[in-house]
Amino acid sequence: MNAAIDIASIGMVTAVGLDAPSACAAMRARLDGFQETRFVGSGTDLLIGAPVPLPRSWIGEKRMAHLAAGAICEAFESIPQARGQTALILCLAEKDRPGNPTGDSARLLRSIAEIVEIEPRMRSRVVAHGRPSGHVALDQARRMIVSGEAPYVMIAGVDSYLTAPAIAYYLGENRLLTTDNPNGFIPGEAASAILCTQSQRGGFRLFGLGLSSEQASIYNVEDLPLRGDGMTSAYSMAFKETGIEMNRLGYRIADLIGEQYWFKQTALASLRLLRGRHDFQDLWSPGESLGNIGAAAVPLMIGMAFTAARKGYAAGTPVLIEASNDAGACGAAILAVRAA
């Protein structure tokens, strides 16, 4: 389904900034929010993480609700007329993920609605696929907008790997970055939101979207070799919708959380599709500043691209946003400012 929608506004709550302008400026300057946590890593060393510096020490579901509400409120600030006529798609961690911080999704939605002070009957749904949730949400959002179900759709993502069960599990799987494991990720947390609406001239538009699955996932039990089939397929679908080849891409933003697997997957997709003469294609990742932020990744990466395009420091146009999860789900989206 190739339907045109625009990103009208954004919001962020991160370890390097509690709003989108400060967070994007910090990430552009390559600042990070890494610090020692209360969790013990290898030996007696405290584990490095990227917590959000909230003014209150909320924990659990209440913390997630306030993180998400902060990002949503910021996205509403520049388009206040959207309040009351916006559907909400909430992107969350996989339901079976160890240490899932969100608990009951219906209760979380109600908590967010109370904090944001939006209509309790506002249409809402949950997408729980972890990092690529935002790509699934984009597909749902454009269907809702084109069908007239809602003039605006808010895609919000919130997640945290900084819970005791999550830390225990990923330490046990040897997947966290520690002094004796360089091939690991830094656990982080964040919330982000993007407000989608009908496409207009000069808007930041979604041109193509691809969703696929990688058989050789990071946990594949058959020990299949990684060929990047899933991400390559997601790229191809997005390029086909957009009507371009990869050599016309400006740059990419990827959810590279630190482990070699994800860098290899991204590199393989590029090697298999990039043909002909092309300019240098930069690769950005919020993981360099925020660590692994799970389901908040895609709205946040779109927010990075939105801000870069508005402020004139984008590394080219169009931009491809990619994400994938441990189960092999892959997503790719191509966005650019539509010519006036």
Side-chain angles (χ1 to χ4, degrees):
M1 177 181 182
N2 191 357
I5 61 171
D6 280 0
I7 310 303
S9 63
I10 63 171
M12 296 181 190
V13 180
T14 76
V16 294
L18 299 181
D19 57 34
S22 59
C24 289
M27 288 186 285
R28 184 186 181 192
R30 299 195 180 275
L31 303 179
D32 65 62
F34 304 147
Q35 58 181 275
E36 289 184 343
T37 67
R38 58 188 174 86
F39 301 109
V40 178
S42 56
T44 59
D45 294 332
L46 292 178
L47 193 70
I48 300 298
V52 174
L54 289 179
R56 294 187 183 180
S57 299
W58 291 303
I59 60 173
E61 196 174 290
K62 186 173 184 179
R63 184 177 183 85
M64 295 299 100
H66 280 276
L67 286 172
I72 292 169
C73 286
E74 183 185 0
F76 273 138
E77 283 178 3
S78 59
I79 307 181
Q81 68 271 23
R83 282 182 174 271
Q85 50 180 337
T86 300
L88 173 65
I89 303 178
L90 187 61
C91 300
L92 301 176
E94 304 90 332
K95 291 181 180 179
D96 60 350
R97 197 182 82 195
N100 185 332
T102 50
D104 186 324
S105 59
R107 188 172 61 224
L108 179 63
L109 280 168
R110 289 194 297 270
S111 298
I112 293 170
E114 290 175 4
I115 299 168
V116 179
E117 296 181 350
I118 52 180
E119 292 290 333
R121 59 181 180 274
M122 183 182 71
R123 295 170 297 278
S124 60
R125 59 182 70 179
V126 170
V127 177
H129 298 299
R131 292 195 301 276
S133 295
H135 288 105
V136 178
L138 280 172
D139 186 45
Q140 295 182 5
R142 63 182 180 179
R143 292 176 187 275
M144 294 169 73
I145 290 170
V146 170
S147 68
E149 184 177 342
Y152 296 94
V153 176
M154 182 76 74
I155 298 175
V158 63
D159 207 344
S160 175
Y161 280 82
L162 292 168
T163 67
I167 296 298
Y169 175 79
Y170 289 105
L171 272 176
E173 292 290 318
N174 202 35
R175 289 191 57 191
L176 295 185
L177 183 67
T178 61
T179 53
D180 55 2
N181 180 33
N183 183 29
F185 68 80
I186 293 175
E189 62 181 3
S192 55
I194 54 173
L195 184 62
C196 306
T197 188
Q198 291 181 335
S199 184
Q200 301 175 357
R201 291 187 180 276
F204 193 60
R205 178 178 172 182
L206 171 67
F207 280 93
L209 182 66
L211 300 169
S212 188
S213 180
E214 173 60 57
Q215 296 301 311
S217 67
I218 195 167
Y219 284 137
N220 87 86
V221 294
E222 298 177 16
D223 201 25
L224 299 171
L226 177 62
R227 292 164 27 93
D229 292 336
M231 191 59 76
T232 301
S233 178
Y235 272 34
S236 297
M237 292 170 65
F239 284 125
K240 184 177 180 180
E241 274 198 7
T242 308
I244 65 170
E245 299 293 333
M246 188 168 178
N247 60 0
R248 288 181 55 195
L249 189 67
Y251 72 112
R252 290 180 287 167
I253 308 180
D255 62 330
L256 303 175
I257 59 174
E259 295 166 294
Q260 294 174 6
Y261 175 94
W262 313 107
F263 288 93
K264 184 177 180 181
Q265 177 178 250
T266 295
L268 286 169
S270 177
L271 286 169
R272 293 178 64 179
L273 292 177
L274 191 55
R275 299 288 183 269
R277 296 187 60 183
H278 60 88
D279 293 331
F280 172 72
Q281 294 179 354
D282 205 355
L283 179 63
W284 297 1
S285 175
E288 297 175 13
S289 296
L290 307 177
N292 186 357
I293 57 171
V298 171
L300 187 135
M301 291 189 290
I302 292 174
M304 291 172 65
F306 177 92
T307 302
R310 289 292 173 90
K311 292 187 174 293
Y313 64 84
T317 189
V319 58
L320 184 145
I321 309 289
E322 70 164 75
S324 56
N325 67 12
D326 292 354
C330 299
I334 297 175
L335 301 100
V337 175
R338 185 186 182 194

